């Protein structure tokens, strides 16, 4: 999508044809910095430290991490080592495992001298597929926005609430939850986004607001606790969130706080949709609450906040008393029964096993192998 009027992606190959460039998301919204990843270790560190984040982008970065590993050493031992290092970076987003499995199963049968070229080529394909998938998600989700537009009075805007950052920064381009919004906006539909700030790392306030603002999409940042109030007063037409993993039964794991939004939406009759690319579906898991590992992150994400001071310095300040213990669960699970529909590249599906298996039969077959 656009930054300063220019089209940009979240990850791309540098002019030398092998260095991987990625926007350093830890520096947004205050500084736009592009990081250069030159080794598998630097790709792993970028995922672990959240220089890159968001399930689809984590997958694409891991794929390029495998390519960087093969460039340094294309032996079987190096392949296994790179897989182990990258898979250990973050536990919840399933796109990481999906991308690494794709890379390993393609590379393993090849003679080592052929692996580097093949790895770069498959990583580039994974990135391009992500863009195409998200565009298709946008087209299916657009119909939901257009149906609401049609029921409104002329000039009234459609209000979408979103949580965390499931925008183009979380993917290679377009985003998942934001793809229908960007398409609607580009087509001149009146759409406005309520952006949950998304404590503790503030991916909504710092990333979603930044990218919507740069693309010119009207939006308002709200504290995380505000959504229920807005819904009670008819100020939210639909919720669209992204996800880090969807189970075979349609349970949705997403950034912590998503479940509370789904409960509020259910209580107020507001449709709660989840946008996802098919690599986010984990057909090996049924019960999201019991089976998905929930990442627990460092306490300092809760005890401190970082921002720009009036004189332009970036400072981190403590907001919790010294000595108070904190808990920092990164994700929660919204049961399928609270989900109005899953917006995928193959259409808007019911959140259940029958609909997911019918739409993605090849994934069922692969999970059974
Ligand atoms: O911890 P993060 O920032 O990597 O969180 C993942 C996410 O970006 C969100 O949960 C998002 O809604 C799903 S990924 C498109």
């Amino acid at each position: 999508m656009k930054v300063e009027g220019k089209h940009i992606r979240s990850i791309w190959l540098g002019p030398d044809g092998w260095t991987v460039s990625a926007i350093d998301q830890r520096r947004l919204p205050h500084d736009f910095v592009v990081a250069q990843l030159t080794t598998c270790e630097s790709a792993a560190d970028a995922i672990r430290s959240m220089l890159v984040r968001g399930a689809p982008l984590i997958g694409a970065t891991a794929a390029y991490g495998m390519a960087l590993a093969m460039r340094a050493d294309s032996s079987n031992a190096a392949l296994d080592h790179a897989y182990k290092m990258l898979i250990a970076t973050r536990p919840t987003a399933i796109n990481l495992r999906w991308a690494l499995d794709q890379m390993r199963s393609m590379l393993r049968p090849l003679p080592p001298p052929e692996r580097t070229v093949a790895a770069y080529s498959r990583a580039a394909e994974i990135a391009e597929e992500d863009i195409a998938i998200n565009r298709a998600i946008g087209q299916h989700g657009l119909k939901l926005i257009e149906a609401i537009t049609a029921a409104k009075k002329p000039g009234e805007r459609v209000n979408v609430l979103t949580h965390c950052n499931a925008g183009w920064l979380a993917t290679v381009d377009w985003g998942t939850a934001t793809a229908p919004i960007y398409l609607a906006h580009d087509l001149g539909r009146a759409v406005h986004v309520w952006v949950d700030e998304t404590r503790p790392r503030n991916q909504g306030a710092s990333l979603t607001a930044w990218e919507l603002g740069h693309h010119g999409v009207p939006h308002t940042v709200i504290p995380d606790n505000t959504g229920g109030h807005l819904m009670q007063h008819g100020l939210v037409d639909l919720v669209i969130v992204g996800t880090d993993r969807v189970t075979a039964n349609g349970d949705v794991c997403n950034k912590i706080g998503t479940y509370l939004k789904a409960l509020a939406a259910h209580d107020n009759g507001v449709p709660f949709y989840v946008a996802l690319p098919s690599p986010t579906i984990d057909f090996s898991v049924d019960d999201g609450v019991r089976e998905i590992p929930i990442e627990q992150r460092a306490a300092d994400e809760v005890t401190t906040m970082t921002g720009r001071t009036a004189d332009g310095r970036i400072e981190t300040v403590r907001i919790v008393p010294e000595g108070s213990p904190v808990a920092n669960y990164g994700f929660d699970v919204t049961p399928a029964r609270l989900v109005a529909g899953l917006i995928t590249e193959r259409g808007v599906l019911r959140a259940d096993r029958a609909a997911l298996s019918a739409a993605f039969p090849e994934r069922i077959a692969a999970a059974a192998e």
Side-chain angles (χ1 to χ4, degrees):
M1 304 312 291
K2 288 190 189 140
V3 177
E4 313 277 339
K6 282 198 206 126
H7 180 254
I8 187 165
R9 296 160 50 151
S10 60
I11 192 166
W12 65 96
L13 268 195
D16 61 10
W18 69 270
T19 300
V20 179
S21 303
I23 299 171
D24 187 342
Q25 301 194 22
R26 300 167 306 184
R27 307 285 296 273
L28 291 173
H30 307 298
D31 296 309
F32 184 84
V33 175
V34 175
Q36 307 300 339
L37 312 179
T38 55
T39 60
C40 179
E41 287 75 11
S42 63
D45 188 55
I47 298 170
R48 201 181 299 110
S49 69
M50 293 178 70
L51 183 156
V52 293
R53 27 113 353 249
L57 178 58
I58 289 171
T61 307
Y64 276 118
M66 292 289 273
L68 289 165
M70 292 300 93
R71 186 174 182 271
D73 175 356
S74 58
S75 66
N76 285 350
L79 180 57
D80 292 344
H81 179 69
Y83 184 101
K84 275 195 198 128
M85 184 195 306
L86 289 160
I87 197 87
T89 50
R90 295 195 65 190
T92 304
I94 197 64
N95 307 56
L96 174 64
R97 192 174 78 203
W98 176 85
L100 289 172
D101 286 348
Q102 291 278 313
M103 296 297 287
R104 187 171 61 177
S105 62
M106 181 275 297
L107 292 169
R108 184 57 100 168
L110 296 179
E114 292 177 18
R115 287 179 176 168
T116 306
V117 170
Y120 271 100
S121 161
R122 183 68 190 117
E125 264 173 30
I126 285 174
E128 291 303 324
E129 281 164 17
D130 182 65
I131 297 173
I133 284 174
N134 295 334
R135 209 182 136 73
I137 287 172
Q139 276 156 347
H140 295 299
L142 175 65
K143 292 182 201 135
L144 301 171
I145 293 178
E146 297 211 307
I148 295 169
T149 306
K152 286 206 170 249
K153 296 196 191 94
E156 273 183 0
R157 61 192 190 177
V158 175
N159 287 298
V160 184
L161 185 141
T162 193
H163 190 69
C164 193
N165 175 258
W168 68 263
L169 286 166
T171 65
V172 180
D173 205 353
W174 285 100
T176 54
T178 54
I181 295 166
Y182 284 127
L183 271 183
H185 173 79
D186 289 353
L187 288 169
R189 310 289 182 261
V191 60
H192 163 263
V193 186
W194 295 111
V195 178
D196 279 356
E197 62 177 347
T198 320
R199 277 286 286 155
R201 280 189 77 101
N202 299 321
Q203 290 96 327
S206 58
L207 303 178
T208 307
W210 181 84
E211 60 164 88
L212 291 175
H214 274 277
H215 199 79
V217 179
H219 63 280
T220 307
V221 179
I222 48 174
D224 287 330
N225 321 332
T226 310
H229 170 78
L230 295 176
M231 291 180 207
Q232 283 176 327
H233 290 269
L235 295 169
V236 180
D237 293 300
L238 78 166
V239 179
I240 311 180
V241 298
T243 171
D244 300 87
R245 195 185 304 208
V246 169
T247 69
N249 287 344
D251 291 344
V252 171
C253 182
N254 192 46
K255 182 53 58 188
I256 193 80
T258 302
Y259 173 44
L260 291 175
K261 293 298 134 68
L263 286 172
H266 183 71
D267 195 42
N268 289 282
V270 173
F272 179 92
Y273 285 97
V274 180
L276 64 137
S278 56
T280 303
I281 307 167
D282 184 352
F283 279 106
S284 72
V285 161
D286 288 321
D287 180 335
V289 174
R290 275 163 199 82
E291 295 180 70
I292 296 178
I294 299 296
E295 180 177 11
Q296 294 197 45
R297 299 195 54 88
D300 64 2
E301 291 183 350
V302 178
T303 58
T304 64
M305 285 191 87
T306 300
R308 188 190 284 285
T309 61
D311 61 357
R313 283 171 296 118
I314 304 296
E315 289 226 339
T316 299
V317 294
R318 189 173 174 96
I319 58 169
V320 172
E322 294 286 351
S324 285
V326 300
N328 188 10
Y329 296 91
F331 302 89
D332 61 26
V333 174
T334 298
R337 66 188 157 77
L338 298 175
V339 177
L342 300 171
I343 312 172
T344 73
E345 70 266 32
R346 295 191 186 162
V348 181
L349 310 176
R350 282 191 327 272
D352 63 33
R353 175 181 288 276
L356 283 168
S357 336
F360 298 101
E362 75 282 11
R363 293 289 311 283
I364 298 279
E369 275 169 17

